[in-house]
Amino acid sequence: MIEVGTELPPLTVTFRREDLVRYAGASGDFNPIHWNDRMAAALGLPGVIAHGMLTMASAVRVVTDWLDDPADLVEYGVRFTKPVVVPDDDKGASVTFSAKVDKVGDGLAEIDITAVAGEEKVLGRARAVVRVR
């Protein structure tokens, strides 16, 4: 039984430069801000940043890993507030995702997702709607 206030198990994902290169290859997004420090700095960024869609996809895993059937995810959206800066080292950047059920009704549950990298929230509003039985 899913109830309002249910907290999903948190998930921490670490992004390293090699992950960004792999994601660029899979997505076709080879924007140099995702792999070149010089280009990122030229555009006023604090460093190379993770692809927004990679961050978004990783965030929803906190929900799909919790669901019995990931196909029960029926809607998902996020608002980006801060980039995830990925240093060129072996540690990379870790983002911790947590989620809490906000509303349940009509066979659906609305789940708010929080994403924190370091001390900063990187997603403003992230919400998933899932089918519940």
Side-chain angles (χ1 to χ4, degrees):
M1 179 96 179
I2 298 173
E3 299 176 344
V4 171
T6 299
E7 293 187 22
L8 283 56
L11 171 71
T12 298
V13 176
T14 300
F15 300 118
R16 294 182 182 84
R17 290 284 177 97
E18 63 197 53
D19 300 316
L20 304 186
V21 171
R22 287 188 185 104
Y23 185 81
S27 68
D29 180 355
F30 291 99
N31 187 324
I33 63 172
H34 301 303
W35 54 270
N36 184 305
D37 286 304
R38 184 175 42 83
M39 290 299 291
L43 293 173
L45 295 168
V48 164
I49 62 171
H51 301 74
M53 295 299 110
L54 175 59
T55 304
M56 182 180 178
S58 298
V60 80
R61 283 185 46 211
V62 74
V63 175
T64 57
D65 287 357
W66 174 72
L67 293 169
D68 289 333
D69 183 354
D72 285 335
L73 176 69
V74 295
E75 184 179 317
Y76 175 53
V78 306
R79 184 176 310 149
F80 300 102
T81 56
K82 298 277 184 185
V84 176
V85 179
V86 180
D88 189 15
D89 60 20
D90 293 334
K91 296 179 184 172
S94 292
V95 182
T96 298
F97 303 101
S98 57
K100 188 175 186 178
V101 176
D102 180 56
K103 187 187 288 183
V104 179
D106 298 325
L108 299 173
E110 296 181 23
I111 302 170
D112 291 327
I113 301 168
T114 301
V116 177
E119 300 294 320
E120 295 194 77
K121 287 179 70 173
V122 295
L123 299 178
R125 178 181 167 90
R127 178 165 279 221
V129 178
V130 301
R131 193 176 8 257
V132 294
R133 297 178 172 97

